Amino acid sequence: MSKYDYLIVGAGLYGAVFAHKAKKAGKKVLVIEKRDHIAGNIYTKKIEGINVHQYGAHIFHTNNRQVWDFVCQFAVFNRFTNSPVANYKGELYSLPFNMYTFNKMWGITTPDEAREIIERQRREAGIINPANLEEQAISLVGRDIYEKLIKGYTMKQWGRDCSELPAFIIKRLPVRFTFDNNYFNALYQGIPVGGYTKLVENMLEGIEIRLGTDYLVNKRELDSLAGHVVYTGAIDAYFNYCLGNLEYRTVSFETEVLEMPNFQGNAAVNYTDSETPYTRIIEHKWFEFGRDEEGRELPKTVISREYSREWKPGDEPYYPVNDEKNAALYDNYKKLAEKETNVIFGGRLGEYKYYDMDAVIKAALDKWEECSSC
């Protein structure tokens, strides 16, 4: 007899949601995590009273009431609205692209003027059916905005020319002919008070967790402990890269504590020129309005510069490289995964898929419903 019903590999969001639902249903659950902390890439660490997003900024947003009700069991969310700023060689522009952006770029004041300029620039570029990211971007916002605010940033982010990237990467880019500065078009949005680590900790309350435990190194022993495995690690690593490596982009961070109350006046500033080596600077205190949980103003600030580069073994994989070659390779790994009858592959690494947080939660909830009804 197995000691546990479920072995959950990874204490990130997918694993934590599934573990919570399984425990609530009376199942015996063990969560293991290779790192020395829970919460995966949404892990926040308290530095100078500030909840620092150790693996990059995460802003929770969703239109799904089921997901929102689920997460609100574990945290109170503040009213943070994501309104990043684009810095192009000292020129500051509003993100998402909206009437503030168009006014700064072209000196116009009406939506019709903005649409006319964008349409003219699209026609001049001869684009009818966008075949790649560059053409898609020009179709959406015109060549001027593409050249200043998209091209350099995207090349740094993906390490590839925009003409080599698929169009769908940028289709979700918000473009508004209003003065709405809210990047996300979501009914529910905010940051959990106390940080994401506290949220996941509450989700995993009462569940056995083993940190610093590498599943793939101890696979045989760990598999013997449970009837089912929920695996949220990299799918190609699970199969020992037998078909080859899937490609990712990774991100590295330079984090500093600064002896000042305000460095840039905004949570996120994107550097969109190609010469600046980092993609953006995050000032973490502004995710919680510059105050601690008791409402006191914080005298110092913490910033993180983000650098995007190609993934190599040993790095943390962040973004799947969504091209035809990697899509085909993933499909072959997925066929192998389907033969693993007692293993569930979930999350951004297990499914080789870029996931927003709400989509991760919904996928885990749906998978639990599927498993519990079998």
Side-chain angles (χ1 to χ4, degrees), residues 144-328:
D144 293 340
I145 291 176
Y146 166 71
E147 292 287 345
K148 279 192 172 185
L149 305 184
I150 296 175
K151 183 178 180 179
Y153 182 90
T154 303
M155 289 175 66
K156 289 188 293 186
Q157 183 81 357
W158 291 100
R160 290 158 176 80
D161 191 273
C162 293
S163 63
E164 299 173 7
L165 292 166
F168 73 80
I169 289 178
I170 208 165
K171 281 185 177 178
R172 59 188 232 150
L173 179 75
V175 180
R176 303 199 180 103
F177 294 93
T178 67
F179 290 90
D180 181 5
N181 268 341
N182 184 357
Y183 191 86
F184 299 120
N185 183 23
L187 183 60
Y188 309 106
Q189 183 176 172
I191 303 286
V193 175
Y196 284 101
T197 303
K198 184 176 179 181
L199 179 148
V200 175
E201 187 177 273
N202 290 339
M203 210 175 282
L204 292 173
E205 184 178 0
I207 296 171
E208 183 180 349
I209 304 167
R210 298 182 191 176
L211 300 176
T213 303
D214 191 323
Y215 170 72
L216 296 177
V217 171
N218 305 283
K219 186 175 183 302
R220 180 176 296 180
E221 174 192 346
L222 291 166
D223 282 347
S224 69
L225 297 178
H228 301 275
V229 174
V230 178
Y231 177 79
T232 68
I235 189 170
D236 53 349
Y238 181 92
F239 293 105
N240 199 27
Y241 309 101
C242 65
L243 303 177
N245 284 71
L246 289 165
E247 293 179 297
Y248 296 89
R249 295 292 288 175
T250 190
V251 182
S252 57
F253 305 91
E254 287 180 355
T255 298
E256 288 184 73
V257 177
L258 301 178
E259 302 287 333
M260 60 174 69
N262 190 352
F263 174 74
Q264 65 186 18
N266 203 50
V269 176
N270 293 8
Y271 286 78
T272 62
D273 61 281
S274 58
E275 293 81 12
T276 303
Y278 42 84
T279 54
R280 64 179 178 175
I281 297 179
I282 300 299
E283 190 167 6
H284 301 269
K285 70 188 301 183
W286 300 124
F287 290 124
E288 297 175 77
F289 314 111
R291 299 174 181 273
D292 65 14
E293 291 172 46
E294 282 71 46
R296 296 172 298 207
E297 292 188 10
L298 295 161
K300 298 181 183 181
T301 194
V302 179
I303 65 168
S304 296
R305 295 178 181 86
E306 297 187 11
Y307 299 81
S308 181
R309 55 185 170 79
E310 207 71 19
W311 174 88
K312 63 182 186 302
D315 293 334
E316 176 62 30
Y318 276 80
Y319 307 110
V321 176
N322 297 122
D323 58 17
E324 290 183 10
K325 180 185 74 172
N326 284 285

Side-chain angles (χ1 to χ4, degrees), residues 131-145:
N132 53 52
L133 189 149
E134 178 178 287
E135 293 182 359
Q136 181 68 48
I138 294 171
S139 295
L140 287 170
V141 292
R143 184 170 289 280
D144 293 340
I145 291 176

Side-chain angles (χ1 to χ4, degrees), residues 83-130:
S83 302
V85 171
N87 183 321
Y88 178 79
K89 300 182 178 180
E91 299 174 16
L92 300 180
Y93 293 88
S94 177
L95 290 176
F97 301 135
N98 61 16
M99 288 304 298
Y100 291 115
T101 317
F102 306 145
N103 173 263
K104 180 71 178 284
M105 184 68 65
W106 298 314
I108 55 93
T109 58
T110 68
D112 282 347
E113 290 173 297
R115 287 193 179 94
E116 183 180 335
I117 292 172
I118 292 169
E119 176 59 22
R120 185 179 71 245
Q121 293 186 359
R122 184 193 65 79
R123 288 197 309 267
E124 289 171 353
I127 299 167
I128 299 174
N129 296 310

